[in-house]
Structure formats: C-alpha cells, structure tokens
C-alpha cells in the first residue's frame, strides 16, 4: 500500500489546523456575544446613602436606588458621589406637598431619573427608586 507523500500529509495537517483555528475563533466570538447580551439584559441597583435636605420649613429624607444595566454597573459605582449631589439638588427643587401623593412620588422618581441622565448618565440610568421617604414640617 503506497504511503501519501510528505507534502500531502503537510497540506492535510495545515488545512486541519486552519479549520481548528477558524472553529475556535467562531466559538470565541459567539461566547463574547452571549456575555455582552447577558450584561445588557442584567439589572443592577446602586443604593445611595440616605439623603436629607431641609428648606422653607420642610425636611425631606430619602433612600434612593439607581437601576442600571449590568454593563453600566461599574460606571454607576464610580459616579456615586456625583449621583448623590445630583439627587440632593433634585430633592431641594421638589415640592413637599406634591410628594405626599402616589402620583407625586412617581413624578419625583421620573424627575430624579431625568436629572441623573441629564447630569451624568446620558441614558444609562434606567430608573430611580425612592426606597424610603420621610417628609416633615420643620427643619431636621
């Protein structure tokens, strides 16, 4: 039985290695795309320390959680101090009388989300939730 010449064996080996590299490359790209998709759909929350403001005879204390995607979680953590300042300014501008209703709370959450996106997020802040809310007459 005749043996294949050495050149033919080398050619088969080179084609096999090329196919293996191509297959591994496609597999790597597919895994990366799956990971990126998971990050986009993942939900993360950044809880801010309780924020308290006092103005015009009213005091407001709020616990705030900022919802972002998984791919923006690190970015949100790095900007926590800036978020605290933005949320404090937004609470200072809030009308305490309107906040006493459910519609007022929803409007405030939307206002906080918009303030965060305008100042820092560029659309990265998906939602801002008021986890605790205390409104009182008189200063803290």
């Amino acid at each position: 039985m005749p043996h294949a010449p050495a050149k033919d064996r080398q050619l088969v080996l080179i084609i096999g290695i090329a196919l293996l590299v191509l297959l591994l490359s496609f597999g790597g790209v597919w895994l990366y795309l799956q990971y990126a998709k998971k990050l986009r759909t993942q939900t993360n929350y950044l809880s801010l320390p309780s924020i308290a403001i006092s103005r015009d005879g009213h005091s407001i204390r709020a616990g705030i959680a900022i919802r972002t995607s998984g791919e923006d979680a690190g970015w949100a953590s790095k900007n926590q101090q800036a978020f605290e300042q933005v949320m404090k300014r937004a609470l200072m501008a809030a009308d305490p009388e309107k906040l006493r209703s459910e519609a007022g709370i929803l409007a405030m959450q939307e206002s906080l989300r918009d303030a965060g996106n305008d100042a820092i997020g560029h659309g990265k802040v998906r939602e801002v939730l008021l986890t605790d809310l205390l409104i009182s007459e008189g200063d803290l």
Side-chain angles (χ1 to χ4, degrees):
M1 192 151 102
H3 292 291
K7 285 187 175 184
D8 288 343
R9 280 185 270 166
Q10 280 184 334
L11 182 62
V12 169
L13 183 63
I14 290 173
I15 290 173
I17 290 173
L19 287 174
L20 182 64
V21 167
L22 188 62
L23 188 65
L24 289 175
S25 298
F26 280 126
V29 169
W30 182 81
L31 287 174
Y32 174 76
L33 292 175
Q34 293 300 312
Y35 174 74
K37 180 181 176 184
K38 178 183 174 187
L39 280 180
R40 280 191 306 275
T41 58
Q42 184 180 12
T43 299
N44 283 338
Y45 292 93
L46 171 67
S47 295
L48 299 179
S50 187
I51 297 173
I53 60 107
S54 179
R55 67 169 178 82
D56 299 332
H58 293 281
S59 298
I60 301 173
R61 170 174 251 130
I64 296 175
I66 298 172
R67 184 171 73 102
T68 62
S69 68
E71 62 188 354
D72 294 329
W75 165 85
S77 294
K78 289 178 187 173
N79 289 298
Q80 181 172 344
Q81 297 274 342
F83 276 123
E84 289 176 29
Q85 295 303 314
V86 168
M87 299 303 149
K88 189 177 277 191
R89 281 193 302 267
L91 283 174
M92 286 293 282
D95 181 4
E97 296 303 319
K98 288 183 181 178
L99 273 176
R100 294 181 193 272
S101 69
E102 185 177 336
I105 292 173
L106 292 174
M108 185 68 212
Q109 288 180 154
E110 290 174 7
S111 173
L112 290 171
R113 181 199 62 217
D114 294 342
N117 277 329
D118 291 344
I120 309 164
H122 309 293
K124 292 183 178 185
V125 176
R126 291 183 175 177
E127 187 176 23
V128 174
L129 302 170
L130 293 171
T131 56
D132 298 311
L133 182 63
L134 175 65
I135 304 168
S136 64
E137 297 288 327
D139 295 329
L140 287 176

